[in-house]
């Protein structure tokens, strides 16, 4: 999604997670947090690492958590990014909350990480070597640890209306738009989505097909999410009820159009912002239907980092 964002002229970008679990056998559900020890620096930190070429921040966070802890995770609520300087060069680290994998095997120590521990939250804050990490943990603990994602996606780049001779509903993706589907699916795959709803327009159905197939899901085509539905007078647009229903349900994604997406944001009680570019998406993280954080991701090559509204 974000392309190669490690330009030598720009900041170093990295991503990671505040990895948490409920303390085993604790009657009050106390939380433990994961810390890693790096022998090169002799420090205790949160799992994180630099982006690889062509990698999105979301994919980077999941990969780095697995490489440093052995836990395969899906990403939850985003946290405030860290900004600091390393060797005279600015660095930005994006973090998400992530629940620990109860089936993770013990990680074999190596030269990068020689110890992985889960500590009660208060002890973890004291153990961390950097105050910026401790503050990030305190921030994470001030909000809900477990949230549900609702992704709102604008279809990938389509053939222009002027160049398409057929009905608009049948207008397909361009080769450029089709080429973005693989990295788009990888980024969306970090969220643990279990339902896919799409406008029945070809350009939307094509956008979600690759992702749905790889996740073993069936894309539900919904005419009320199409541009054509906006031309029919409604006291309340049926798409609003779809969004409200999804906010009572599990992790889901909706693919629609530029003209429809502001309606979907407002139905969820979220600010539409300046809109999404073709192939861009927003993730609305909600707690029992109440949106607590929104992150917006630009399509591949369009920009270096997501915008996060907390």
């Amino acid at each position: 999604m974000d392309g190669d964002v490690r330009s030598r002229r720009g900041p170093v970008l990295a991503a990671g997670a505040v990895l948490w679990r409920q303390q085993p056998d604790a009657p009050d559900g106390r939380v433990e947090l994961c810390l890693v020890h790096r022998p090169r620096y002799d420090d205790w930190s949160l799992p994180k690492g630099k982006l690889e070429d062509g990698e999105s921040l979301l994919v980077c966070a999941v990969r780095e958590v697995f490489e440093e802890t052995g836990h395969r995770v899906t990403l939850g609520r985003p946290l405030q990014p860290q900004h600091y300087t390393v060797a005279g060069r600015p660095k930005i680290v994006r973090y998400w909350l992530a629940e620990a994998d109860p089936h993770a095997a013990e990680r074999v120590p190596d030269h990068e990480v020689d110890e992985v521990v889960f500590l009660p939250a208060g002890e973890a804050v004291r153990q961390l070597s950097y105050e910026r990490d401790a503050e990030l943990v305190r921030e994470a603990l001030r909000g809900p640890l477990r949230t549900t994602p609702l992704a709102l996606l604008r279809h990938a780049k389509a053939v222009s209306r002027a160049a398409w001779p057929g009905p608009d509903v049948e207008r397909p993706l361009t080769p450029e738009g089709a080429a973005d589907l693989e990295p788009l699916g990888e980024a969306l795959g970090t969220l643990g989505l279990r339902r896919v709803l799409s406008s029945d327009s070809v350009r939307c159905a094509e956008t979600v097909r690759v992702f749905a197939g790889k996740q073993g899901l069936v894309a539900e085509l919904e005419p009320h999410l199409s541009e054509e539905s906006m031309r029919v007078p409604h006291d309340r647009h049926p798409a609003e009820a779809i969004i409200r229903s999804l906010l009572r349900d599990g992790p889901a994604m909706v693919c629609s159009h530029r003209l429809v997406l502001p309606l979907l944001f407002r139905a969820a009680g979220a600010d539409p912002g300046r809109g999404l570019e073709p192939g861009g998406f927003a993730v609305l993280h909600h707690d029992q239907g109440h949106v607590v954080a929104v992150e917006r991701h630009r399509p591949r090559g369009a920009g270096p980092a997501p915008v996060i509204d907390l």
Side-chain angles (χ1 to χ4, degrees), residues 30-107:
R30 283 176 291 178
V31 170
E32 292 183 331
L33 302 176
C34 182
L35 308 186
V36 298
H37 182 262
R38 302 182 300 174
R40 178 182 177 184
Y41 305 102
D42 189 23
D43 63 6
W44 288 96
S45 64
L46 302 168
K48 68 177 184 304
K50 297 177 185 176
L51 269 72
E52 295 182 348
D53 290 349
E55 187 176 49
S56 75
L57 289 159
L58 294 162
V59 171
C60 175
V62 169
R63 176 183 56 77
E64 286 290 343
V65 168
F66 176 70
E67 290 179 358
E68 294 199 346
T69 71
H71 286 252
R72 297 188 184 277
V73 299
T74 57
L75 300 179
R77 176 168 59 91
L79 303 170
Q80 291 285 3
Q82 293 183 352
H83 299 259
Y84 53 96
T85 301
V86 177
R89 187 176 173 189
K91 184 172 184 177
I92 303 173
V93 187
R94 301 280 180 169
Y95 284 97
W96 286 261
L97 277 163
E99 188 169 0
D101 175 5
H103 306 295
E106 186 174 347
R107 184 186 183 280

Side-chain angles (χ1 to χ4, degrees), residues 136-154:
L136 188 76
V137 167
R138 287 190 285 265
E139 175 207 340
L141 296 175
R142 285 194 285 267
L145 293 179
R146 187 182 288 122
T147 54
T148 303
L150 172 60
L152 300 181
L153 167 67
R154 183 177 172 185

Side-chain angles (χ1 to χ4, degrees), residues 170-202:
E170 297 177 3
R171 186 156 49 93
L173 299 181
T174 63
E176 178 186 352
D180 285 342
L181 298 185
E182 190 73 27
L184 173 63
E186 290 176 355
L188 291 167
T190 65
L191 302 172
L193 304 172
R194 301 312 304 158
R195 282 187 74 185
V196 176
L197 286 76
S198 171
S199 159
D200 60 352
S201 296
V202 167

